[in-house]
Amino acid sequence: MDKIKLATVWLGGCSGCHMSFLDLDEWLIDLAAQVDVVYSPIADIKEYPEGVDVVLVEGAIANEEHLELIHKIRKRTKTIISFGDCAVTGNVTAMRNPTGNADVSLQLAYIEGADVNQQIPHSPGIVPPLIDKVVPVHYIVPVDIYLPGCPPSAPRIRAALEPLLKGELPVMEGREMIKFG
């Protein structure tokens, strides 16, 4: 039997969801026996591959690189899981939205909020161009499963992944599976 191709992605967020994923502790060993991790910030693979079965997408869409990557992910992945509150709602990452557009946010962060070296970085590759409004993943591409939480707990992550390993859909009902925050 072929192993499930699993990916994890970190977009606009704090990496707390990935930290919670690592809190799966010993179950990660069982998981590793059943999946091939084909893309992840943990594995530092540079190109998102074709034929991914399941991806956990942490974070909201906040810049041009995120937009490009999420379209590639949708095209190359069977099951997308919005992983955590930022991916599901925008959450903390979207707190810049009320300031106006991306230029206002950059002005606040790099000019008004800086004590020294007040300048907005413009060199390519330093700061990816921001989009004007941070949005959750499903605003850009269809999402198959929503896994809220800030971050989702390790038991909740496991409860979402275990059925997928058996070719089944997880039951995303009840406070333990759909609680935000």
Side-chain angles (χ1 to χ4, degrees), residues 118-178:
Q118 295 174 316
Q119 62 180 353
I120 296 172
H122 292 289
S123 299
I126 293 178
V127 177
L130 300 178
I131 58 175
D132 280 334
K133 295 288 181 189
V134 174
V135 295
V137 174
H138 69 274
Y139 277 37
I140 306 299
V141 298
V143 166
D144 303 296
I145 298 170
Y146 295 86
L147 184 57
C150 187
S153 67
R156 188 185 302 180
I157 296 166
R158 182 175 176 174
L161 289 176
E162 276 186 316
L164 292 169
L165 298 173
K166 300 174 193 168
E168 303 167 2
L169 287 176
V171 178
M172 304 303 289
E173 296 175 349
R175 181 169 174 76
E176 285 309 308
M177 289 304 289
I178 60 171

Side-chain angles (χ1 to χ4, degrees), residues 68-103:
E68 182 181 327
L69 181 57
I70 201 64
H71 284 291
K72 187 181 289 185
I73 289 167
R74 179 70 279 176
K75 182 179 174 187
R76 297 178 177 185
T77 307
K78 290 178 191 166
T79 303
I80 292 179
I81 300 174
S82 271
F83 183 34
D85 288 351
C86 289
V88 174
T89 68
N91 201 30
V92 174
T93 309
M95 287 177 68
R96 73 170 164 91
N97 288 349
T99 66
N101 62 28
D103 292 333

